[in-house]
Amino acid sequence: MDGPTRPSPCHSQTDALNDELKERLTMSDTHVDSCRCDKTQGEVKMRSKRFGRGAVESGLTHECGVFGAIGTGDWPTQVDVAQVICLGLVALQHRGQESAGIVTSEGKSARIFNSHKGMGLINNIFNDEAMKKLKGNLGIGHTRYSTSAASEEVNCQPFVVHTAHGALAVAHNGELVNCSSLRKMVLGRGVGLSTHSDSELITQALCLNPPEGETNGPDWPARINHLMRLAPLSYSLVIMLKDKIYAVRDPYGNRPLCLGKILPLGSSYAYKQSSAQHAAVLMNGSAKNGLDDKAEGWVVSSESCGFLSIGARYVREVLPGEIVEMSRHGIRTVDVVERPADKQQAFCIFEYVYFARADSIFEGQMVYSARLQCGRMLARESPVDADIVSSVPESGTAAAHGYARQVIGYLTSFCPGLHSRDRDMFTVRDKSGSNPCPYCIFHSDWLSCWSAIGFFLWVHIRIASPPLKYPCYMGINIPTREELIANKMDSNKLAEHVGADSLEYLSVEGLVSAVHYNMKTTPSDGVGGHCTACLTGEYPGGLPDDVDW
Ligand code: SF4
C-alpha cells in the first residue's frame, strides 16, 4: 500500500506535550479585530466581525432552517399544522439554535396571523400554551442562526408585515450578496426598515409593486419574480399569505429546499416503515409504498431529514429559480427565474461536507452516501497503513466508513467522549504501539480533540474536506482568513504543529467527484453544479460590487 506506513514514534507523548497542545488549541479561538473585505483576484481579506450588518461573532457556524406546512382538501384540516411545523423545526435545529418562530393562518382572514417566536431552542420556545394559540390550516416556521443581523428577539423569524393586500409572513435561509443596493432601493421607495436583517429587507421588497404593474389585485408570483431578479442569491424562502405558501429557491440553487407530502393516518407507508425502508423509498421513485396515497397536506423544508417524524414522504427539491405555490388544492410551479446563460447551478457543497444531517437528501442522493464516498476518495488520494479507522461521533462516521472500506476493508470503531464537528480523520496508536485506535474528527473546533494525541504513539490525520481558505458571502458564517488555520500553515507544517505524523486533506476535485458519484444529473445537464467558493475563492456569479462585510 502507498502512503505512510508504521514509522517509529516521531514524538514523545508526555504530559508536557499535552500541556503544549492545550496551549496550541487556543489558536482556534483567536479573534482578529480588523479585516475588512478587500476583493482581489481570488484573495480576500476581511474583518472578524461583519461590517455594518450587525455584530456577528466569527466561527464556522450553520445557517438557518425554514419549514412550511399546509393542509389539503376541506378546512379545518385534520393535519395539526403547528405540531407538524414544530417537529419539522426540531429536525432542522442543527441549522440554527439561536431563535425560532412559527406563524400560522386559518385561511379566513388576510389580516390575522397567529405567531409565536422566541430566543433559544425549539423545545423551550414552543410549550403547550404557545402551541394552543398557533391554530391554522397553514403555517411557516424558522430556526435561526444569525448571519446578517444580531441575535436578538427583534430579528426572530418569520417576519410578518401588513400590506394593503393583507398580512405577509416570510422565513429566509441564506444571505443576500447585494444587500446594500437592494436596501438603498427599498429605502428609496419610501419604505422604512427597522432592522439590519436581510429577511426584513426581503419581506419589504415583496411589498413593492412589480415594474409591470398589477391590474387585478396583487400578483404575488410577479412580486417574487421581481425580487429574484433584483437579488440573484442567496436564499431559500417560504412566504405565507392568507391561504397560500410560496416556496422559493434562488436561481443558483445555492441554499437547499425540498417538498414533501403528508400521507394519511394509517397509510401503509407513513407509519409502518422502518427508517431503512423509509430511506429506500426516498431513494427509489418506483417504490410502491404510499406513493399513490392521497396527500393530507404538503410540507416544504430546508432538509428532508424531518419528514419521517411527521409522516411525510420526500417528493422532490424545489428547483433553482423555481416558485412553487402550495394551496389546499396541492402544489404547482407558477414561475421559474433563470440565471444568466453562462452560469451554472451553485448548490453549496458544504451542505454535503458539514452542514446537513446525514439522512437528508440532496440531488437524488443521501448526504450519508456522499460523505461515504468522500472517505473512499480520501483513502485513494492519501492512504495510510491503518488497522482500524474510527470517528469522533458522529458527523464523521460516514467518511470514516468510506475510508476504512477503501483502506482496510472493515468498519470503524468509535471513540466516545470526544467532541468535534467537522470532517477530519486521523489514525492513532496507543503507547504500546500494538493497539491501534484511529479517529475521525470534525470541523472548526476539531483541534479541540487534539489532546487525544497525547495518548498515542503514531498519528495520521486525514481530513475529508479540502482546506477552508475563503469567506462565504452566502449565509454561512465562516471564520476570518486570519482564523482559518489552512491559511497559516500547509499540511506538513500543520501536522508538525499539532504533533501528528502526517496530515492530508481531500482535494477539491476529490470532493466534487465524490459528490457527483451517485448523482443522477451532471453540470452539463444544466443542474448539479456546486459552489466551492470557500475552498477555491471562485464565487458563483462573480463577486458582487457591493459586498459589504
Ligand atoms: S462559499 Fe462555501 S459555505 Fe458558502 S455557499 Fe459556497 S460552498 Fe457553501
mmCIF file of all heavy atoms in Angstrom, residues 317-342:
data_model
loop_
_atom_site.group_PDB
_atom_site.id
_atom_site.type_symbol
_atom_site.label_atom_id
_atom_site.label_comp_id
_atom_site.label_asym_id
_atom_site.label_seq_id
_atom_site.Cartn_x
_atom_site.Cartn_y
_atom_site.Cartn_z
ATOM 1 N N GLU A 317 -36.857 18.209 -4.836
ATOM 2 C CA GLU A 317 -36.324 19.513 -4.474
ATOM 3 C C GLU A 317 -37.092 20.613 -5.203
ATOM 4 O O GLU A 317 -37.608 20.388 -6.309
ATOM 5 C CB GLU A 317 -34.846 19.611 -4.866
ATOM 6 C CG GLU A 317 -33.950 18.793 -3.965
ATOM 7 C CD GLU A 317 -32.500 18.906 -4.376
ATOM 8 O OE1 GLU A 317 -32.122 18.326 -5.401
ATOM 9 O OE2 GLU A 317 -31.752 19.576 -3.659
ATOM 10 N N VAL A 318 -37.152 21.776 -4.589
ATOM 11 C CA VAL A 318 -37.555 22.969 -5.338
ATOM 12 C C VAL A 318 -36.368 23.293 -6.246
ATOM 13 O O VAL A 318 -35.216 23.319 -5.795
ATOM 14 C CB VAL A 318 -37.848 24.148 -4.388
ATOM 15 C CG1 VAL A 318 -38.176 25.408 -5.172
ATOM 16 C CG2 VAL A 318 -38.982 23.786 -3.435
ATOM 17 N N LEU A 319 -36.632 23.482 -7.523
ATOM 18 C CA LEU A 319 -35.531 23.677 -8.475
ATOM 19 C C LEU A 319 -34.949 25.086 -8.356
ATOM 20 O O LEU A 319 -35.640 26.021 -7.896
ATOM 21 C CB LEU A 319 -36.040 23.459 -9.899
ATOM 22 C CG LEU A 319 -36.555 22.049 -10.177
ATOM 23 C CD1 LEU A 319 -37.149 21.965 -11.572
ATOM 24 C CD2 LEU A 319 -35.429 21.029 -10.007
ATOM 25 N N PRO A 320 -33.702 25.277 -8.764
ATOM 26 C CA PRO A 320 -33.129 26.624 -8.747
ATOM 27 C C PRO A 320 -34.014 27.600 -9.520
ATOM 28 O O PRO A 320 -34.408 27.315 -10.650
ATOM 29 C CB PRO A 320 -31.775 26.436 -9.443
ATOM 30 C CG PRO A 320 -31.429 25.011 -9.194
ATOM 31 C CD PRO A 320 -32.735 24.269 -9.214
ATOM 32 N N GLY A 321 -34.344 28.714 -8.881
ATOM 33 C CA GLY A 321 -35.159 29.734 -9.540
ATOM 34 C C GLY A 321 -36.645 29.451 -9.554
ATOM 35 O O GLY A 321 -37.432 30.258 -10.043
ATOM 36 N N GLU A 322 -37.065 28.320 -9.000
ATOM 37 C CA GLU A 322 -38.481 27.931 -9.084
ATOM 38 C C GLU A 322 -39.317 28.600 -7.994
ATOM 39 O O GLU A 322 -38.857 28.783 -6.864
ATOM 40 C CB GLU A 322 -38.599 26.401 -8.952
ATOM 41 C CG GLU A 322 -40.017 25.876 -9.178
ATOM 42 C CD GLU A 322 -40.117 24.355 -9.056
ATOM 43 O OE1 GLU A 322 -39.129 23.729 -8.627
ATOM 44 O OE2 GLU A 322 -41.192 23.828 -9.370
ATOM 45 N N ILE A 323 -40.533 28.978 -8.356
ATOM 46 C CA ILE A 323 -41.516 29.470 -7.391
ATOM 47 C C ILE A 323 -42.648 28.438 -7.363
ATOM 48 O O ILE A 323 -43.324 28.236 -8.367
ATOM 49 C CB ILE A 323 -42.071 30.847 -7.800
ATOM 50 C CG1 ILE A 323 -40.934 31.861 -7.991
ATOM 51 C CG2 ILE A 323 -43.069 31.348 -6.766
ATOM 52 C CD1 ILE A 323 -41.391 33.185 -8.627
ATOM 53 N N VAL A 324 -42.793 27.770 -6.223
ATOM 54 C CA VAL A 324 -43.836 26.739 -6.085
ATOM 55 C C VAL A 324 -44.952 27.288 -5.214
ATOM 56 O O VAL A 324 -44.698 27.796 -4.118
ATOM 57 C CB VAL A 324 -43.261 25.459 -5.438
ATOM 58 C CG1 VAL A 324 -44.365 24.418 -5.227
ATOM 59 C CG2 VAL A 324 -42.142 24.866 -6.290
ATOM 60 N N GLU A 325 -46.168 27.194 -5.720
ATOM 61 C CA GLU A 325 -47.326 27.630 -4.938
ATOM 62 C C GLU A 325 -47.945 26.420 -4.250
ATOM 63 O O GLU A 325 -48.242 25.409 -4.893
ATOM 64 C CB GLU A 325 -48.361 28.278 -5.866
ATOM 65 C CG GLU A 325 -49.558 28.849 -5.134
ATOM 66 C CD GLU A 325 -50.590 29.363 -6.121
ATOM 67 O OE1 GLU A 325 -51.461 28.559 -6.539
ATOM 68 O OE2 GLU A 325 -50.527 30.552 -6.475
ATOM 69 N N MET A 326 -48.144 26.526 -2.935
ATOM 70 C CA MET A 326 -48.764 25.443 -2.159
ATOM 71 C C MET A 326 -50.112 25.963 -1.659
ATOM 72 O O MET A 326 -50.179 27.014 -1.022
ATOM 73 C CB MET A 326 -47.878 25.081 -0.965
ATOM 74 C CG MET A 326 -46.461 24.696 -1.358
ATOM 75 S SD MET A 326 -45.332 24.655 0.058
ATOM 76 C CE MET A 326 -45.920 23.222 0.943
ATOM 77 N N SER A 327 -51.171 25.231 -1.962
ATOM 78 C CA SER A 327 -52.505 25.653 -1.531
ATOM 79 C C SER A 327 -53.275 24.428 -1.077
ATOM 80 O O SER A 327 -52.774 23.307 -1.126
ATOM 81 C CB SER A 327 -53.241 26.356 -2.682
ATOM 82 O OG SER A 327 -53.602 25.384 -3.643
ATOM 83 N N ARG A 328 -54.531 24.615 -0.675
ATOM 84 C CA ARG A 328 -55.354 23.470 -0.251
ATOM 85 C C ARG A 328 -55.601 22.516 -1.415
ATOM 86 O O ARG A 328 -56.028 21.379 -1.215
ATOM 87 C CB ARG A 328 -56.677 23.964 0.325
ATOM 88 C CG ARG A 328 -57.544 24.646 -0.694
ATOM 89 C CD ARG A 328 -58.582 25.523 -0.058
ATOM 90 N NE ARG A 328 -59.504 24.769 0.771
ATOM 91 C CZ ARG A 328 -60.453 25.332 1.519
ATOM 92 N NH1 ARG A 328 -60.571 26.646 1.546
ATOM 93 N NH2 ARG A 328 -61.272 24.602 2.228
ATOM 94 N N HIS A 329 -55.332 22.961 -2.624
ATOM 95 C CA HIS A 329 -55.550 22.126 -3.811
ATOM 96 C C HIS A 329 -54.305 21.336 -4.214
ATOM 97 O O HIS A 329 -54.346 20.522 -5.129
ATOM 98 C CB HIS A 329 -55.996 23.004 -4.992
ATOM 99 C CG HIS A 329 -57.165 23.868 -4.663
ATOM 100 N ND1 HIS A 329 -58.401 23.347 -4.331
ATOM 101 C CD2 HIS A 329 -57.286 25.217 -4.564
ATOM 102 C CE1 HIS A 329 -59.238 24.343 -4.050
ATOM 103 N NE2 HIS A 329 -58.581 25.485 -4.186
ATOM 104 N N GLY A 330 -53.176 21.615 -3.588
ATOM 105 C CA GLY A 330 -51.952 20.890 -3.947
ATOM 106 C C GLY A 330 -50.812 21.855 -4.238
ATOM 107 O O GLY A 330 -50.824 23.002 -3.784
ATOM 108 N N ILE A 331 -49.829 21.385 -5.003
ATOM 109 C CA ILE A 331 -48.698 22.251 -5.326
ATOM 110 C C ILE A 331 -48.595 22.425 -6.841
ATOM 111 O O ILE A 331 -48.975 21.540 -7.614
ATOM 112 C CB ILE A 331 -47.355 21.684 -4.788
ATOM 113 C CG1 ILE A 331 -47.033 20.328 -5.417
ATOM 114 C CG2 ILE A 331 -47.382 21.571 -3.279
ATOM 115 C CD1 ILE A 331 -45.607 19.858 -5.135
ATOM 116 N N ARG A 332 -48.077 23.573 -7.236
ATOM 117 C CA ARG A 332 -47.837 23.798 -8.668
ATOM 118 C C ARG A 332 -46.733 24.833 -8.833
ATOM 119 O O ARG A 332 -46.573 25.747 -8.010
ATOM 120 C CB ARG A 332 -49.113 24.241 -9.399
ATOM 121 C CG ARG A 332 -49.599 25.608 -9.006
ATOM 122 C CD ARG A 332 -50.917 25.937 -9.652
ATOM 123 N NE ARG A 332 -51.323 27.290 -9.287
ATOM 124 C CZ ARG A 332 -51.394 28.317 -10.120
ATOM 125 N NH1 ARG A 332 -51.113 28.163 -11.398
ATOM 126 N NH2 ARG A 332 -51.750 29.515 -9.708
ATOM 127 N N THR A 333 -45.985 24.671 -9.931
ATOM 128 C CA THR A 333 -44.945 25.652 -10.251
ATOM 129 C C THR A 333 -45.607 26.830 -10.942
ATOM 130 O O THR A 333 -46.312 26.654 -11.936
ATOM 131 C CB THR A 333 -43.901 25.026 -11.195
ATOM 132 O OG1 THR A 333 -43.334 23.901 -10.541
ATOM 133 C CG2 THR A 333 -42.802 26.017 -11.545
ATOM 134 N N VAL A 334 -45.374 28.036 -10.395
ATOM 135 C CA VAL A 334 -46.008 29.209 -11.022
ATOM 136 C C VAL A 334 -45.009 30.034 -11.825
ATOM 137 O O VAL A 334 -45.402 30.853 -12.656
ATOM 138 C CB VAL A 334 -46.716 30.109 -9.984
ATOM 139 C CG1 VAL A 334 -47.949 29.416 -9.452
ATOM 140 C CG2 VAL A 334 -45.790 30.513 -8.855
ATOM 141 N N ASP A 335 -43.706 29.827 -11.604
ATOM 142 C CA ASP A 335 -42.718 30.576 -12.381
ATOM 143 C C ASP A 335 -41.333 29.959 -12.139
ATOM 144 O O ASP A 335 -41.118 29.290 -11.122
ATOM 145 C CB ASP A 335 -42.701 32.049 -11.950
ATOM 146 C CG ASP A 335 -42.140 32.973 -13.028
ATOM 147 O OD1 ASP A 335 -41.656 32.459 -14.057
ATOM 148 O OD2 ASP A 335 -42.184 34.204 -12.835
ATOM 149 N N VAL A 336 -40.436 30.164 -13.079
ATOM 150 C CA VAL A 336 -39.035 29.794 -12.891
ATOM 151 C C VAL A 336 -38.188 30.965 -13.378
ATOM 152 O O VAL A 336 -38.305 31.387 -14.532
ATOM 153 C CB VAL A 336 -38.652 28.518 -13.679
ATOM 154 C CG1 VAL A 336 -37.172 28.204 -13.492
ATOM 155 C CG2 VAL A 336 -39.497 27.335 -13.251
ATOM 156 N N VAL A 337 -37.371 31.508 -12.497
ATOM 157 C CA VAL A 337 -36.493 32.635 -12.859
ATOM 158 C C VAL A 337 -35.129 32.058 -13.237
ATOM 159 O O VAL A 337 -34.486 31.377 -12.439
ATOM 160 C CB VAL A 337 -36.361 33.621 -11.676
ATOM 161 C CG1 VAL A 337 -35.382 34.731 -12.012
ATOM 162 C CG2 VAL A 337 -37.724 34.190 -11.322
ATOM 163 N N GLU A 338 -34.731 32.340 -14.459
ATOM 164 C CA GLU A 338 -33.478 31.766 -14.970
ATOM 165 C C GLU A 338 -32.273 32.557 -14.465
ATOM 166 O O GLU A 338 -32.348 33.765 -14.276
ATOM 167 C CB GLU A 338 -33.467 31.803 -16.504
ATOM 168 C CG GLU A 338 -34.653 31.101 -17.157
ATOM 169 C CD GLU A 338 -34.569 29.601 -17.063
ATOM 170 O OE1 GLU A 338 -33.475 29.094 -16.731
ATOM 171 O OE2 GLU A 338 -35.599 28.934 -17.300
ATOM 172 N N ARG A 339 -31.170 31.884 -14.308
ATOM 173 C CA ARG A 339 -29.905 32.583 -14.041
ATOM 174 C C ARG A 339 -29.248 32.878 -15.391
ATOM 175 O O ARG A 339 -29.675 32.322 -16.421
ATOM 176 C CB ARG A 339 -28.996 31.744 -13.149
ATOM 177 C CG ARG A 339 -28.639 30.399 -13.715
ATOM 178 C CD ARG A 339 -27.798 29.566 -12.761
ATOM 179 N NE ARG A 339 -27.584 28.240 -13.312
ATOM 180 C CZ ARG A 339 -28.404 27.217 -13.133
ATOM 181 N NH1 ARG A 339 -29.483 27.341 -12.402
ATOM 182 N NH2 ARG A 339 -28.152 26.048 -13.700
ATOM 183 N N PRO A 340 -28.211 33.729 -15.414
ATOM 184 C CA PRO A 340 -27.549 34.021 -16.684
ATOM 185 C C PRO A 340 -27.115 32.731 -17.390
ATOM 186 O O PRO A 340 -26.700 31.762 -16.739
ATOM 187 C CB PRO A 340 -26.332 34.862 -16.266
ATOM 188 C CG PRO A 340 -26.720 35.475 -14.964
ATOM 189 C CD PRO A 340 -27.621 34.498 -14.294
ATOM 190 N N ALA A 341 -27.193 32.756 -18.730
ATOM 191 C CA ALA A 341 -26.961 31.531 -19.505
ATOM 192 C C ALA A 341 -25.584 30.931 -19.277
ATOM 193 O O ALA A 341 -25.400 29.720 -19.378
ATOM 194 C CB ALA A 341 -27.167 31.841 -20.990
ATOM 195 N N ASP A 342 -24.601 31.769 -18.954
ATOM 196 C CA ASP A 342 -23.242 31.247 -18.796
ATOM 197 C C ASP A 342 -22.929 30.827 -17.357
ATOM 198 O O ASP A 342 -21.790 30.503 -17.042
ATOM 199 C CB ASP A 342 -22.220 32.298 -19.259
ATOM 200 C CG ASP A 342 -22.343 33.591 -18.460
ATOM 201 O OD1 ASP A 342 -23.427 33.849 -17.921
ATOM 202 O OD2 ASP A 342 -21.342 34.322 -18.364
#
